[in-house]
Amino acid sequence: MKVKPPLTPLDTIKKVTHTKAILLRARIVFLSVLFFVGVVIWKIVHLQFLEIDKWRHRAKVAQLEYRPILATRGNIYGDDGALLATSLPFYRVALDPVVASDVCLKTGIDPLSQALSDFYKIHPPDYYKKLITDARARKRRYLLLDQGYITYEEKKMMSRWPIFNQGRFKGGVIFEAQYKRYNPFKELARRTIGMQRETHGYGLEYSFNQVLKGVDGKALYQKVVGGKKGVDEKTLYQKVASGNWKSVPEGTVIPPIHGCDLVTTLDINLQDVAQSSLLTVLEQTDAQNGCAIVMEVATGAIKAMANLSRTESGKYIEAYNYAIGHQGRVEPGSIFKLPSMLALLEETRWPLTKPIDTGQGVVRFYNRSMKDVKKGGYGLLTLQEVFEKSSNVGISMAIHETFGADPQKFIHYMEQLGIHQPLGIELAGEGKPYMITPKSKMWSGVALPWLSIGYNVQVTPLQMLVLYNAVANNGKMVKPMFVQHIQSTHGIIKTFPITVLKEKICSDETLHKLKVMLEGTVERGLAQRIKHGFYKIAGKTGTAQKLLNGRYTDHHLTSFAGYFPADRPYYSCIIVVDDPQGATFRFGSEVPAPIFKDIVDRIAGKDLQARQPINGSLGSHPTLRSNVGNTHELRFLCQCLHLPEPINDIAADWGTMQISPTGVTFQHNPSLKEVPYVLHMKLQDALFLLEEHGLKVTVVGNIHGAVSKQSKIIDNHITISLK
């Protein structure tokens, strides 16, 4: 066993010194910890008792925030005050479960839960009861009962439910309002009225957004993080849609400036007429899309603008504004012959009787052949007949002869009419027109002839209508207008006056000739099928082959532009139908022209100002087609239309009214006392009268025509023929 040597005095001293150092360090650490703990305890006591008010204020301020008070968006009205667009309140239903008293909650929770279950039809009553009682136990100050929105009428109904009927400050019910845009007339003029979105939009809603939206206000709010029962909710609590926030009564409030209202030029009745007429033909022809515009001649006010396009399901909706937009900018075809003829007449002063030999209907310009639709051609025509029959050969030959040596002169006439530039209308998204010029790289020797008949140029339907409207307006070209004025609760803020784009588009001599040719197109030309015996229509048909993938195809764009009544123009109108299907629906006279006539007929029935006065001479047609009916109603009609008093009087119930330059007479047949006389009547009227007499009726012929023959009664049966 090894024995350790005894410690020397030096070793003993070293050991004692080391031990003292360790104890010293331990004391220092202990004292440091004790000091730190003391400081922490002192700080806690200081914050808890000495600075409590200071830090409570800072905590409150940290949860304060200025939040917006949304301005109410302005309304959009029609020209007669009809409401076209407005903002309606919709609500989400929430509850502060802490507010209601114990008695109120105990007596009302079961019927309230049942009412919520019956209304939302999502959860059973027990679900809502547990939801509310659990939230109350946890002292939650905000409970959203359903994510869906309710209407104002539903809100009024819910306000009568148990607990809810105690109101916001005793029952705790919270109806969070959110305003949504609503169009009472649904699809009518939807693209024109428009929509405003965060990043983009269209129509009046988008174009006048700054006027409609107003200026948001702001108020000071504090975030709700909990609370105790008994807090004065009436002065402290306000829930807004974006979260649990309460208003600060002493905070600054900047009230919102609500949006202004737009009073437009749209006539909702004419809009309905235009849209329904367009829809009928689009469905009949299975066309790709179409548009119809009705404009007031003197002012340029747009009274109706309908745009319909076919969806994949075959339904037609207002999905794009072809009347003004880029997609509606197309080669117009023969309706462009009006500006071509204007340039020709201004340059040459040719009489309308000037002969033009169209030959066999084919003429060659350099390496291309221009053809007329009629096989074999029209032969020798007058200048007026060239326009009325829409002879491509005749127009192009005349334009080439006059402007071939200096085509820029023709372009100058077009530019004077503004065809090369947008109209600058109030609606955003107007398509920019295109027209080939001699400066273009695409210009060639055949460019001018094809330009004269509506190719090598792209314009919107509205731009073409403005030109036709100028002819109707005695040469004054006015800018289309969509808004009459902007108004607020204080009155009218801004009025939109008539804007004249050009005081005179041509000489009076040329203007007279253009009117004669437009009237002749309906009276004797390609649009004879829409000729009317009650009033005159002036207009021009158009048919253009569509350019697809760089080649002209067998698909067509059909159009008709004109105005009425021709001798006292009140409205102008353009119809464009894109790609109608079927062999019988290829030309402007077959598709858009009948739409034009239908619109004119229905407008004339609604708006007597657009009618041709009929108490004067009617030329060679003294008797109207609609001259058979009940004599008492015919007399009333005479009074409404300010016709001369009848020369004779009759006692029969049914008779015939004849109008001549010398006056109005009634005639009757004794047989009318037993059987109605229905000749010249429309089918609907004839059927009503005959069936009212208990007769069985057989209809023969065109159901859209008038009765041309009625048979004798055999075994209580009668046959009527229509044509």
Side-chain angles (χ1 to χ4, degrees):
M1 178 176 180
K2 187 175 180 181
V3 179
K4 292 182 178 180
L7 295 173
T8 64
L10 182 59
D11 292 335
T12 302
I13 293 172
K14 289 181 177 180
K15 186 175 182 179
V16 172
T17 303
H18 179 68
T19 302
K20 289 181 178 180
I22 293 175
L23 291 174
L24 179 62
R25 286 196 293 268
R27 290 190 184 98
I28 293 173
V29 171
F30 174 75
L31 291 174
S32 298
V33 172
L34 185 63
F35 177 78
F36 179 75
V37 171
V39 171
V40 170
I41 294 173
W42 177 83
K43 193 67 176 178
I44 291 174
V45 173
H46 188 270
L47 291 173
Q48 184 70 27
F49 297 101
L50 300 179
E51 294 187 352
I52 184 170
D53 293 336
K54 170 186 174 182
W55 291 106
R56 280 180 176 174
H57 175 71
R58 290 190 179 182
K60 182 178 180 180
V61 172
Q63 297 184 64
L64 293 178
E65 180 180 317
Y66 274 102
R67 302 180 65 82
I69 304 175
L70 299 180
T72 302
R73 192 172 181 85
N75 297 328
I76 299 178
Y77 296 97
D79 66 343
D80 61 348
L83 187 61
L84 304 182
T86 188
S87 295
L88 295 182
F90 292 85
Y91 305 87
R92 287 202 306 179
V93 185
L95 183 69
D96 181 348
V98 179
V99 171
S101 66
D102 293 336
V103 175
C104 178
L105 188 73
K106 183 177 180 180
T107 58
I109 186 66
D110 287 332
L112 175 62
S113 300
Q114 184 65 53
L116 289 168
S117 178
D118 293 341
F119 181 80
Y120 288 114
K121 300 185 182 343
I122 298 176
H123 302 291
D126 291 344
Y127 168 85
Y128 292 102
K129 182 176 181 180
K130 186 175 186 302
L131 186 70
I132 295 171
T133 54
D134 287 351
R136 182 181 176 89
R138 295 196 300 270
K139 298 189 184 310
R140 289 183 56 186
R141 303 310 306 267
Y142 176 77
L143 175 65
L144 185 64
L145 297 176
D146 192 88
Q147 293 287 344
Y149 286 90
I150 62 172
T151 65
Y152 177 73
E153 292 299 323
E154 291 169 334
K155 171 182 175 290
K156 288 172 59 179
M157 176 190 69
M158 285 187 171
S159 298
R160 297 191 291 267
W161 291 356
I163 299 180
F164 286 6
N165 58 13
Q166 298 299 309
R168 181 175 192 168
F169 304 114
K170 291 184 178 181
V173 63
I174 304 164
F175 293 108
E176 299 174 356
Q178 178 172 329
Y179 284 83
K180 296 184 178 180
R181 210 61 174 162
Y182 176 72
N183 292 12
F185 293 98
K186 304 298 181 184
E187 283 293 309
L188 284 182
R190 187 169 70 88
R191 294 299 303 192
T192 306
I193 296 170
M195 178 182 293
Q196 167 61 26
R197 295 174 177 151
E198 291 295 329
T199 56
H200 65 281
Y202 54 87
L204 294 168
E205 292 274 20
Y206 178 72
S207 303
F208 288 85
N209 181 52
Q210 293 299 320
V211 172
L212 289 165
K213 75 175 185 178
V215 180
D216 292 342
K218 61 181 180 179
L220 192 63
Y221 286 85
Q222 182 180 9
K223 192 170 185 179
V224 177
V225 294
K228 295 181 180 180
K229 191 175 179 181
V231 175
D232 185 3
E233 299 294 329
K234 189 170 184 179
T235 59
L236 291 180
Y237 185 74
Q238 180 175 346
K239 175 72 182 65
V240 295
S242 56
N244 297 308
W245 292 83
K246 66 180 180 181
S247 64
V248 179
E250 66 273 14
T252 301
V253 176
I254 301 176
I257 302 174
H258 298 302
C260 298
D261 300 331
L262 295 185
V263 178
T264 72
T265 62
L266 295 174
D267 184 323
I268 200 63
N269 293 315
L270 298 190
Q271 179 71 32
D272 182 37
V273 166
Q275 192 151 323
S276 59
S277 298
L278 179 65
L279 177 61
T280 299
V281 172
L282 290 182
E283 291 178 336
Q284 179 185 4
T285 61
D286 197 28
Q288 188 67 33
N289 59 68
C291 69
I293 314 172
V294 180
M295 177 189 290
E296 198 171 69
V297 169
T299 65
I302 300 298
K303 311 307 292 184
M305 181 179 285
N307 294 273
L308 295 173
S309 54
R310 189 181 63 209
T311 63
E312 292 182 358
S313 64
K315 182 182 178 181
Y316 287 92
I317 62 172
E318 279 226 343
Y320 187 82
N321 197 329
Y322 294 96
I324 69 166
H326 177 77
Q327 294 183 34
R329 188 195 71 171
V330 293
E331 292 180 313
S334 293
I335 59 173
F336 195 79
K337 291 174 181 175
L338 179 69
S340 295
M341 190 62 76
L342 181 150
L344 179 69
L345 293 173
E346 283 289 272
E347 185 68 19
T348 64
R349 299 293 193 268
W350 284 352
L352 296 182
T353 55
K354 178 179 174 59
I356 297 178
D357 188 2
T358 64
Q360 301 297 313
V362 180
V363 61
R364 194 164 184 83
F365 296 100
Y366 301 98
N367 61 341
R368 290 185 64 183
S369 295
M370 177 77 71
K371 297 180 180 180
D372 278 332
V373 173
K374 182 182 178 182
K375 293 183 178 180
Y378 294 105
L380 187 63
L381 298 174
T382 64
L383 183 61
Q384 180 172 341
E385 290 172 333
V386 165
F387 188 85
E388 293 174 354
K389 298 182 182 299
S390 196
S391 170
N392 295 333
V393 172
I395 290 284
S396 60
M397 288 174 58
I399 294 295
H400 184 72
E401 176 185 340
T402 305
F403 299 102
D406 187 7
Q408 184 59 44
K409 186 177 291 187
F410 179 83
I411 300 299
H412 178 66
Y413 279 109
M414 299 301 104
E415 291 177 346
Q416 284 186 320
L417 296 174
I419 290 174
H420 65 300
Q421 59 189 9
L423 295 167
I425 58 176
E426 298 151 358
L427 293 186
E430 182 184 6
K432 184 178 180 180
Y434 164 80
M435 181 173 61
I436 194 171
T437 69
K439 299 178 183 179
S440 171
K441 294 180 180 179
M442 302 298 294
W443 185 268
S444 67
V446 299
L448 179 62
W450 264 262
L451 176 60
S452 69
I453 64 169
Y455 293 92
N456 294 324
V457 59
Q458 295 178 348
V459 292
T460 63
L462 182 60
Q463 195 161 19
M464 287 305 305
L465 178 60
V466 167
L467 178 59
Y468 278 77
N469 191 84
V471 174
N473 198 24
N474 293 320
K476 180 183 291 187
M477 181 181 287
V478 293
K479 179 181 175 180
M481 58 185 297
F482 295 83
V483 178
Q484 296 184 49
H485 58 259
I486 300 171
Q487 64 185 25
S488 70
T489 54
H490 304 293
I492 295 177
I493 296 175
K494 180 180 179 180
T495 299
F496 292 82
I498 299 172
T499 302
V500 178
L501 299 177
K502 196 173 182 62
E503 282 290 346
K504 202 77 169 178
I505 62 171
C506 61
S507 64
D508 290 336
E509 178 187 351
T510 296
L511 187 64
H512 172 72
K513 293 175 181 177
L514 293 177
K515 290 182 176 181
V516 170
M517 289 188 291
L518 288 169
E519 291 181 34
T521 300
V522 178
E523 293 294 315
R524 299 172 296 277
L526 293 184
Q528 287 185 73
R529 63 182 301 172
I530 69 169
K531 179 180 178 181
H532 204 286
F534 190 29
Y535 47 79
K536 285 187 176 183
I537 298 173
K540 181 73 182 71
T541 60
T543 306
Q545 288 181 294
K546 294 184 64 177
L547 185 66
L548 299 175
N549 299 322
R551 298 184 63 183
Y552 286 100
T553 65
D554 198 36
H555 298 272
H556 294 83
L557 184 88
T558 61
S559 57
F560 185 90
Y563 52 86
F564 67 96
D567 55 347
R568 189 175 53 92
Y570 194 75
Y571 290 120
S572 60
C573 180
I574 188 170
I575 312 293
V576 177
V577 177
D578 187 0
D579 199 16
Q581 303 298 303
T584 58
F585 301 118
R586 297 185 59 188
F587 302 105
S589 60
E590 298 165 340
V591 183
I595 300 177
F596 186 99
K597 181 178 183 298
D598 187 49
I599 291 175
V600 170
D601 285 344
R602 295 168 68 179
I603 288 179
K606 292 176 179 288
D607 188 353
L608 292 180
Q609 294 185 71
R611 289 176 176 240
Q612 162 74 20
I614 57 177
N615 56 348
S617 175
L618 295 178
S620 59
H621 301 283
T623 303
L624 301 178
R625 293 180 60 185
S626 58
N627 61 348
V628 180
N630 183 276
T631 54
H632 300 289
E633 293 183 358
L634 291 175
R635 289 192 187 96
F636 177 73
L637 181 63
C638 285
Q639 295 172 3
C640 292
L641 297 179
H642 306 289
L643 295 173
E645 290 296 324
I647 296 175
N648 60 334
D649 199 5
I650 56 176
D653 290 335
W654 299 93
T656 300
M657 178 177 67
Q658 288 186 328
I659 303 175
S660 67
T662 58
V664 178
T665 59
F666 284 133
Q667 296 179 353
H668 75 284
N669 188 306
S671 63
L672 294 179
K673 295 179 180 180
E674 299 178 359
V675 181
Y677 182 70
V678 297
L679 290 184
H680 310 302
M681 285 188 180
K682 293 289 186 180
L683 177 60
Q684 182 179 1
D685 297 330
L687 283 178
F688 173 79
L689 295 176
L690 294 173
E691 291 178 352
E692 277 286 296
H693 282 69
L695 299 174
K696 296 180 180 180
V697 184
T698 298
V699 179
V700 179
N702 178 16
I703 62 173
H704 298 293
V707 178
S708 60
K709 183 179 180 181
Q710 70 180 81
S711 69
K712 295 181 179 180
I713 299 175
I714 302 176
D715 296 331
N716 207 39
H717 185 276
I718 189 171
T719 300
I720 58 175
S721 301
L722 292 89
K723 69 176 183 179

